[in-house]
Amino acid sequence: MAEAKEKAAKDTVDINTPLFKLAAPVFIQALLAMLIGYADSLMLTRYSDTAVGAVGNANQVLGFLTLAFTIISSASGVVVSQYLGAKATDKLSRIYTVALAFNFALSLTISIIVFSLSEVLLRFMQLPDEMMPDAMSYMRIVGGFIFLEALMDTFYQFLRSNGKMVFGMVLSLTTNVLNIIGNYLFLYGPLKFIGLGASGVAISSVFSRFVGMIVIAVYFKFNIEGDISIKYLRPFPKDILESLLKLGIPTAGENISYNISQIVISAFVNTMGIVAINTKIYCGSLTNFSYLYSVSVAVATQIIVGHAVGAKEYDLAYKRVIKSLVPALLISVGIAAANFLLSPLTLPIFTDNAQAIALGHDIMLIAIVLEIGRTCNLVIINSMRAAGDVKFPTMLGIISMWGVSVLFAFILGIALDPVLHLGLRGVWIAMAADEIVRGIIVSIRWKRGSWRNKRIVKDNE
């Protein structure tokens, strides 16, 4: 095992690793997950409309609760990258153990809460009575084992920081395919006679995550430098937990704020009628493709910057971000432009409503501008966090998403709609303005180098 880990350590990422080597597996993993997610929804749609709504609402609650896991998982990726870059690998085992232990304790607590209060949470969402049985059974099963998702997400961060993107991609594909097969067995296959419906889908999800958890833990043991053991918690390394929380809490806070702001914006759109509501969903599905590419480049750049900052190669970190940003902008904006040009052909796949197609075509034009700002934000802000600069982008994000996106979505989309007649277009203009404003500000901050003195690794480590 020692020889395998030594060989794996030699194959890990470094500051000169080509961006494509890291970004391509992340993009493929995200794309496959998205496509399989569509297939998952389609299977439920053909089974029961009630089940679709029940599972969708339950997942919305669970998705919000899982944001708590990102406090540690996202921070652990940054910390591990910097320590690897600094060649200070003696602390890695403690970092791995603390991150997993904290997320396990947190997620187990959430699992108990979800299992016990699933009906209360769903009632709060005003779920129709006919959807409650399916939603409750699904939520109790998936939510009761939500700690599996938390642990897997943490392991994925460890693998990414060590450059093991391809394995993560293969494992993600495998677990998603297992989930699809399980859904088929319970909804349409040999196990259909049991009549579990949404509960069967939940069992399938939990089983696929359980298999994935076992596989990724075994892979980590034999291929990643460092170990996980309770002995690393004695005495408890408070300094490591403090570093993880210092990085993770602001990031999680921004994510929570973003999700709440999106709920508010969705509430605005829900007052505009069924055409606007559905068009928002259609356009969101189409813009996911350009978003996925930007995210994959941002994740890859974050890892390289973390290693570079850990090694005190600040100039290299600066140049790698600029070098990553240019092609990311060209490709993501190119995809957005293609989405706009092809929208007269792609939108009819979702609907035959001429009004929705015309509205969606306008939205896809605005989305090109939005993508410019979003790509800058994803790449630069992820890199700032990798350098340890977390407070500024968090405060900027919260102020901008509420002071620009939400505020002007209301002004342009609702308050001035009788005059400007923008409706959903006004909402998209507001979201694009938010991304552009933040993109300009973080670009200036990256150029000024305020992030250079935020390194996490101490000089004596």
Side-chain angles (χ1 to χ4, degrees):
M1 185 174 76
E3 292 180 359
K5 286 201 171 190
E6 184 178 350
K7 181 181 182 298
K10 293 179 180 178
D11 295 335
T12 192
V13 66
D14 61 39
I15 57 180
N16 296 308
T17 301
L19 183 71
F20 181 79
K21 181 181 178 181
L22 299 176
V26 176
F27 176 75
I28 294 171
Q29 177 182 343
L31 179 62
L32 290 173
M34 184 181 73
L35 293 176
I36 291 173
Y38 289 160
D40 203 4
S41 298
L42 184 61
M43 293 176 74
L44 271 172
T45 299
R46 294 186 175 180
Y47 176 78
S48 165
D49 288 338
T50 302
V52 172
V55 171
N57 277 277
N59 276 330
Q60 189 173 355
V61 176
L62 294 172
F64 186 80
L65 292 174
T66 55
L67 290 173
F69 310 152
T70 64
I71 292 174
I72 293 297
S73 61
S74 60
S76 64
V78 172
V79 174
V80 170
S81 292
Q82 286 204 19
Y83 273 86
L84 286 170
K87 308 299 182 187
T89 56
D90 55 306
K91 271 197 171 183
L92 286 178
S93 294
R94 289 189 180 276
I95 295 169
Y96 294 143
T97 304
V98 169
L100 277 172
F102 184 91
N103 257 1
F104 177 69
L106 178 62
S107 59
L108 188 61
T109 302
I110 293 176
S111 291
I112 294 171
I113 292 172
V114 170
F115 185 84
S116 305
L117 302 178
S118 57
E119 183 174 2
V120 175
L121 293 169
L122 291 169
R123 292 291 182 193
F124 178 77
M125 292 190 65
Q126 302 296 312
L127 195 68
D129 288 339
E130 61 269 24
M131 292 184 180
M132 283 297 295
D134 280 342
M136 282 182 59
S137 62
Y138 179 90
M139 196 166 175
R140 282 177 173 169
I141 296 171
V142 175
F145 290 90
I146 206 169
F147 61 87
L148 292 173
E149 183 177 354
L151 295 178
M152 280 193 71
D153 185 49
T154 308
F155 270 118
Y156 272 126
Q157 290 291 343
F158 296 162
L159 264 58
R160 286 179 174 180
S161 298
N162 282 273
K164 308 300 182 183
M165 312 298 216
V166 174
F167 176 80
M169 176 189 73
V170 174
L171 179 61
S172 178
L173 173 62
T174 303
T175 54
N176 278 292
V177 169
L178 275 177
N179 188 32
I180 291 292
I181 293 173
N183 289 350
Y184 172 78
L185 291 175
F186 282 109
L187 296 178
Y188 307 105
L191 300 179
K192 179 182 178 181
F193 76 95
I194 303 176
L196 290 178
S199 296
V201 172
I203 293 170
S204 175
S205 296
V206 169
F207 176 75
S208 64
R209 287 174 185 169
F210 176 76
V211 171
M213 179 65 220
I214 298 299
V215 172
I216 200 170
V218 172
Y219 181 87
F220 176 92
K221 183 176 180 63
F222 288 99
N223 293 275
I224 301 298
E225 183 178 4
D227 295 298
I228 296 169
S229 173
I230 195 170
K231 68 181 181 182
Y232 296 116
L233 299 178
R234 305 194 194 109
F236 189 79
K238 294 181 180 179
D239 58 327
I240 293 176
L241 181 59
E242 287 174 1
S243 294
L244 292 171
L245 292 174
K246 184 178 178 181
L247 286 170
I249 289 176
T251 301
E254 182 184 358
N255 289 336
I256 291 171
S257 177
Y258 173 79
N259 278 269
I260 294 174
S261 72
Q262 289 301 303
I263 291 173
V264 173
I265 289 175
S266 294
F268 294 162
V269 175
N270 287 343
T271 67
M272 298 177 184
I274 190 67
V275 171
I277 295 171
N278 289 341
T279 302
K280 180 178 182 292
I281 296 172
Y282 306 148
C283 291
S285 298
L286 291 175
T287 55
N288 273 342
F289 292 98
S290 52
Y291 172 73
L292 288 180
Y293 181 80
S294 301
V295 167
S296 64
V297 172
V299 169
T301 306
Q302 175 182 357
I303 294 168
I304 295 172
V305 168
H307 281 255
V309 170
K312 294 185 177 180
E313 296 282 356
Y314 299 114
D315 289 340
L316 188 146
Y318 174 82
K319 293 175 182 177
R320 285 305 295 259
V321 170
I322 302 303
K323 187 177 179 180
S324 300
L325 186 57
V326 173
L329 277 170
L330 290 174
I331 294 177
S332 59
V333 173
I335 294 173
N339 263 334
F340 165 67
L341 294 174
L342 294 174
S343 59
L345 301 175
T346 54
L347 286 170
I349 296 174
F350 298 97
T351 180
D352 57 1
N353 186 301
Q355 188 179 355
I357 293 172
L359 177 59
H361 185 64
D362 292 343
I363 296 302
M364 299 310 294
L365 177 60
I366 302 169
I368 298 175
V369 179
L370 184 149
E371 206 59 47
I372 296 172
R374 182 160 64 179
T375 301
C376 288
N377 287 321
L378 286 169
V379 174
I380 297 177
I381 290 177
N382 274 37
S383 298
M384 291 168 69
R385 288 174 179 151
D389 187 8
V390 294
K391 291 183 180 179
F392 179 83
T394 296
M395 293 305 299
L396 172 64
I398 293 173
I399 291 171
S400 183
M401 68 181 64
W402 289 95
V404 178
S405 189
V406 173
L407 177 61
F408 283 92
F410 174 77
I411 292 173
L412 297 177
I414 297 179
L416 296 181
D417 184 57
V419 178
L420 301 178
H421 306 293
L422 289 174
L424 187 63
R425 299 175 187 86
V427 171
W428 234 268
I429 290 171
M431 292 192 296
D434 167 37
E435 298 287 357
I436 292 294
V437 167
R438 275 190 288 161
I440 292 171
I441 294 174
V442 297
S443 296
I444 293 172
R445 185 173 176 85
W446 185 258
K447 186 174 182 179
R448 287 181 175 176
S450 304
W451 48 274
R452 291 175 183 256
N453 62 350
K454 307 291 184 180
R455 185 171 179 262
I456 299 162
V457 183
K458 306 284 192 305
D459 289 334
N460 60 348
E461 291 181 315

